[in-house]
Amino acid sequence: MLQNIGIPGLILILVIALIIFGPSKLPEIGRAFGSTLREFKNSTKDLMSSEEKEEKKEIK
């Protein structure tokens, strides 16, 4: 779904976001979105590493 957006679609989304939230709120929203993605990535990485450790224990 997201692979078909392209440059014009991203520009349209940015313009709509600017209209809805205004230029002062956009950096705050970007920071919040970035920190959310970072936390999700870290928790996913931790989950995968804990599963690998459990698999190694079962093999031994």
Side-chain angles (χ1 to χ4, degrees):
M1 183 175 118
L2 292 177
Q3 51 271 51
N4 295 332
I5 290 178
I7 299 297
L10 291 175
I11 293 172
L12 181 64
I13 291 171
L14 181 62
V15 168
I16 291 172
L18 277 171
I19 291 170
I20 292 174
F21 298 112
S24 62
K25 287 284 185 181
L26 217 51
E28 294 175 25
I29 293 170
R31 270 189 238 96
F33 183 70
S35 65
T36 302
L37 283 178
R38 193 176 313 113
E39 288 178 23
F40 179 74
K41 182 180 173 182
N42 289 338
S43 63
T44 304
K45 190 185 306 182
D46 290 342
L47 182 63
M48 294 297 289
S49 66
S50 66
E51 285 182 9
E52 289 175 0
K53 288 178 183 177
E54 288 178 7
E55 287 177 2
K56 287 180 182 178
K57 286 181 182 178
E58 289 176 0
I59 292 174
K60 290 182 181 182

